[in-house]
Amino acid sequence: MTDSRTVGIVGAGWVGLVTGGCFAELGHDVIVRDIVGERIDALRVGRLPFHEPDLSDVLARNSERIRYTLDAAELAEADILFVCVQTPPTYSGDADLSYVWNALDELPSNQRRQILVMKSTVPVGTGEKVRATLDARGLANVGYVSNPEFLAEGTAVRDFMNPDRIVIGAFAGEDSARVEALYSGIEAPIVRTDVASAEMIKLAANAFLTTRISFINEIANVCELVGADVEDVARGVGLDHRLGPHFFRAGVGWGGSCFGKDVSALKQLAGNSGYHFQLLAAVIEVNELQKRKVIAKLEKHLGKLRGKTIAVLGLAFKPNTDDLRDAPSLVIASRLLAEGSSVRTWDPVANARDRLKGALQCETVLDAVTGAHAAVIVTEWEELRDLPSREVREAMARPLIVDGRNLLDPEETRAAGFAYEGIGRPTSPFAALPETPEPETRVQR
Ligand code: UGA
């Protein structure tokens, strides 16, 4: 590392800690600032507020270069300040920028030139507004750069250290070069652009990823009607190098804290500018309906779901995270509870006890499936690959698996004595269900 800098991080959330830890790994000194005292106290003793593989190790390994503070004045030491605060959706579907503006209000006064870098996902045009605000406050010496993050939960450290590209949008070439220099040591194409284009790249990337998923989910739905298998179709289509295999897995739909928020923000941004982004409206609607498809599949086999016990396996919006934000599991479990089913859930790390009050969260998969008329795979945790076992079959009231992530092999699952329903795969005939007498079940409230 030849050109080590002091990097300030505003916001010790998931993006901020990954960014701070990885810049420290690259040899920079890092000051992480947050407004929540307990969070700073926990970080000082090496405790992470969420589950993210490899992040604890990175922070521990570089602890001598990382300082955590509640005091915004300490950020005056930083050469470059990364804004990593949340931008949740408002009631209108626009992004709420109040945390961004708070961060600006707390900018330390400084004689030397600092650069403010926006990592948070913001609407296109935010950079222009921030620039104007800085100028109006006499802070023309503060530079502004947009440097969006493309980190996925569960692989964030790897994504930071081995990115597909680094996008840097700046008003001044000199600022762009200084931010670029921070990443020296990382091999990746640099996309240098104006601020508005950098902001749009982030929104367009997430919008396109969700478009791919909703597209393959619609193909899956048609596959079911015409007797094709979406797994083979996705492979056959994805091998075309112009199309590629990624984000092409059919299932119960996308969730997480970013996709829903960012797609909605882009749709609203277009709408606010007088453009109706029809494609995104469909992408969002397909996803809403996709989460509910599981219910129809259960009804096909079980008839009315009132009084039936359903195991919901996997709660996190994807594996290797404990994040429940916008998780399809919450919609599916809530729909089942509304139908009057008794819902038993399982997840190895996520805890939905507060959000799904009527459901019983079990410690083990076996406990969750005991007495169940069906087991629904909602998150493709590795632990669920062994689901079609004799033990599980004997514990269930009816051996029916609805595989919302196409995790299992249909033939093997059927050979193990289960009726199997995937997404976009040839379906189980009704006759596959053994005639087991149904035990008495009571709806848990
Ligand atoms: C996503 C993007 O992948 C990151 O590039 C981006 O930086 C991040 O949002 C963000 O804006 O901060 P993340 O939300 O962590 O990352 O998770 P993904 O791995 O993208 O998965 C999102 C959802 O899509 C999950 O529910 C997953 O199960 C679903 N998915 C993904 C599918 O249903 N099919 C697929 O083929 C891929």
Side-chain angles (χ1 to χ4, degrees), residues 208-218 247-251 253-254 259 286-287 405:
F208 192 56
L209 290 170
T210 55
T211 301
R212 283 183 64 100
I213 302 170
S214 281
F215 176 81
I216 200 66
N217 280 335
E218 288 222 278
F247 279 70
F248 226 33
R249 288 191 331 266
W254 39 270
F259 276 177
V286 167
N287 198 55
R405 295 291 182 183

Side-chain angles (χ1 to χ4, degrees), residues 31 33 102 118 131 151 157 159 215 217 271 282 308 362:
I31 305 165
R33 194 259 167 165
N102 289 348
M118 189 60 67
R131 180 69 273 158
L151 311 170
V157 171
D159 293 345
F215 176 81
N217 280 335
K308 301 286 189 324
C362 303

Side-chain angles (χ1 to χ4, degrees), residues 194-206:
D194 57 70
V195 171
S197 303
E199 292 166 342
M200 183 57 107
I201 287 169
K202 166 68 191 200
L203 293 177
N206 273 0

Side-chain angles (χ1 to χ4, degrees), residues 354-367:
D354 285 347
R355 298 186 206 212
L356 294 173
K357 292 243 190 285
L360 180 72
Q361 183 157 347
C362 303
E363 293 299 323
T364 65
V365 175
L366 191 61
D367 190 9

Side-chain angles (χ1 to χ4, degrees), residues 47 130 147 162 188 372 379 384 395:
R47 263 189 291 119
V130 174
N147 173 219
N162 305 286
T379 315
L384 295 174

